[in-house]
Amino acid sequence: IAGSNEGAVWAPFFNDLGYTAAVLTYTVPPTSDSGPLTQARDAMSYLRENAEELRVTTKQIGVMGFSAGGHLASTVATHTTGAERPAFQILFYPVITMDASYTHAGSRQNLLGSNTAPSLIKKYSNEKQVTEKTPMAYLCWAEDDATVSPRNSKEYVAALEKNNVPVHTISFPSGGHGYGYNPSFMYHDEIMTDLKAWMLSIDSTLTNIKAPVDATSGNNSYYNLSGQPVSSPKKGIYIQKGRKVLVK
């Protein structure tokens, strides 16, 4: 578990953009290769079933994952259909494949144990599971990552592009593995700026908000997504005159 830089520490970033953030702590096999995916699907179901209480819009739930968690997030993105399928996926230096030539050996061992059945390897090699219905994606990695080969990200990006799935990437010449939200990471500010811009860019797709409005213009009343009045709205999504607006 890398909760200190890959868990709830991200919540304020998404909250400021008008998103609810939920963190899943899941278990890994060897009891069952399907265990992590089952728990992730259960978590998504929990969010949908308690959407009103949690202030969640069910058609706008995305997934995010780091390293081995990136494999689980991309598994959710590629192994679910219909209402279960997430609206978007955000992957940081993810494990994508079970191909022994470039997977992360520890992640493969945790997921499959000693079972090297070709069918299971293909099933959880998510670059082979992408279709035109796979949700849009954001991927971030460092070229010198010696823990999880960047080839994982690149093969996934290639599969997404081949299937005409919108994908945004940001990569760095150095940085290694596991930097997550670490403010001391040399490219932290670039990541935050880039991810924020991407999140705002998909708002129109997720919410049908066509253009941002200036919070300083006029004396209009703003409300947050919980219905509370906001006198000085920050950047993000608010309600103005009964409609969602994106404040810049």
Side-chain angles (χ1 to χ4, degrees), residues 207 209 220-225 227 237-245:
T207 66
I209 298 173
N220 297 309
S221 298
Y222 292 85
Y223 298 84
N224 62 25
L225 298 184
I237 302 172
Y238 294 85
I239 305 298
Q240 178 193 52
K241 297 182 178 179
R243 301 183 63 183
K244 285 185 177 179
V245 296

Side-chain angles (χ1 to χ4, degrees), residues 162-176:
K162 182 179 180 179
N163 285 273
N164 298 312
V165 176
V167 54
H168 176 88
T169 67
I170 182 171
S171 61
F172 308 103
S174 60

Side-chain angles (χ1 to χ4, degrees), residues 24 26 36-37 40-41 44 62-80 84-92 94-96 126 134-138 156:
L24 170 66
Y26 64 97
L37 177 58
R41 293 174 70 178
M44 299 285 276
V63 290
M64 183 177 189
F66 304 78
S67 193
H71 184 268
L72 179 54
S74 63
T75 301
V76 174
T78 56
H79 288 65
T80 56
E84 274 199 309
R85 185 184 292 119
F88 59 91
Q89 52 181 317
I90 301 172
L91 310 177
F92 275 62
V95 177
I96 292 294
N126 293 331
T134 299
M136 55 187 167
Y138 179 103
Y156 195 58

